Amino acid sequence: MVKIAPSLLAADFAALGAEAARAEAAGADLLHLDIMDGHFVPNISFGPQAVRAIRQHTRLPLDVHLMITRPDEYLAEFAAAGADIISVHAETCLHLSRTLQRIRELGKVPAVALNPATPLTVLEYVLDLTGLILLMTVNPGFGGQQFLPAVLPKIAALATLLKERSRAIPIEVDGGINAATARPAVQAGAGVLVAGSAVFGQADLQAAVAGLRRAAAGEGAGR
Ligand code: DX5
Ligand code: ZN
């Protein structure tokens, strides 16, 4: 079953708690929280205090996507704030294996995120430590960008690698996911779909989440 992870980046920032609850009521599987520091990406979003506040408004697992330099310095804070999954960008980690180990020691699911241009080879020797792999399907920093089709063969190559190594690590895709791009991403091997604008950009969140699920399953909009 494909999982849907609405991203609060596209929600009403003046009402993040209510928006989190709305996503849960709409049938989301996870809640994706984009943390941006203005250094790794050219945008600033919110930090651990916001994560802690959002935690009080939903029982959904919190999927915290760290787009920050020096993530190691903040892992404990995000863990204490209520993160369930913590994704670090391989591009920001000098010692990726140590960082993943640290997340695991904090009792959270360690995830590795890769920019579109970053090769899969960085994952090869950390699969033991990885609970989820996030492939960016846009360059990180902003919501509402167009899905990069060049990442499709990368998703497929990762799915093949994981199969060869007998690893059941879910592949999450993030960026430009909508009713049109969900299906090709899933066909290539994605199991978790992050969607910001395609969910929070719609008035009816439940219909948006259901529509993504149908699209992911290859069912037409009318069915
Ligand atoms: C982009 C973020 C995404 C963003 C996706 O840097 O990592 O999670 O919220 O937004 P959409 O779904 O609008 O492309
Ligand atoms: Zn994200």
Side-chain angles (χ1 to χ4, degrees):
M1 263 291 270
V2 171
K3 291 187 172 171
I4 309 292
S7 164
L8 275 188
L9 191 66
D12 176 359
F13 268 36
L16 288 177
E19 294 284 72
R22 215 155 66 91
E24 181 171 353
D29 299 294
L30 304 167
L31 195 64
H32 186 83
L33 304 183
D34 288 301
I35 313 299
M36 303 180 177
D37 67 351
H39 293 277
F40 177 60
V41 290
N43 195 4
I44 300 175
S45 59
F46 49 79
Q49 278 178 290
V51 174
R52 186 183 294 277
I54 292 159
R55 178 73 286 173
Q56 311 308 314
H57 293 265
T58 178
R59 298 174 76 162
L60 289 178
L62 298 184
D63 172 27
V64 174
H65 177 194
L66 298 182
M67 286 164 276
I68 63 175
T69 57
R70 304 197 306 275
D72 301 79
E73 295 176 19
Y74 301 94
L75 296 177
E77 232 179 309
F78 281 105
D84 295 288
I85 301 168
I86 300 182
S87 310
V88 291
H89 268 264
E91 301 86 358
T92 66
C93 294
L94 280 176
H95 308 286
L96 180 58
S97 140
R98 177 184 289 155
T99 302
L100 296 172
Q101 185 68 49
R102 185 106 195 281
I103 297 170
R104 181 176 282 187
E105 284 163 10
L106 289 164
K108 308 302 176 182
V109 177
V112 183
L114 301 184
N115 283 339
T118 303
L120 295 172
T121 48
V122 299
L123 297 169
E124 227 174 312
Y125 303 104
V126 294
L127 291 178
D128 270 352
L129 296 166
T130 303
L132 175 101
I133 298 166
L134 195 177
L135 295 185
M136 292 304 304
T137 40
V138 299
N139 287 292
F142 302 93
Q145 302 182 80
Q146 276 222 329
F147 180 88
L148 296 172
V151 184
L152 284 172
K154 186 182 183 183
I155 302 169
L158 176 57
T160 303
L161 173 77
L162 295 176
K163 205 169 169 198
E164 281 168 6
R165 303 285 182 88
S166 312
R167 307 274 176 176
I169 305 173
I171 303 174
E172 180 176 46
V173 286
D174 183 7
I177 299 296
N178 56 35
T181 56
R183 183 66 183 158
V186 167
Q187 278 178 316
V192 184
L193 305 178
V194 176
S197 7
V199 173
F200 287 102
Q202 309 292 313
D204 184 343
L205 254 56
Q206 198 166 352
V209 171
L212 278 175
R213 263 190 225 291
R214 278 198 305 274
E219 294 167 17
R223 292 163 67 187

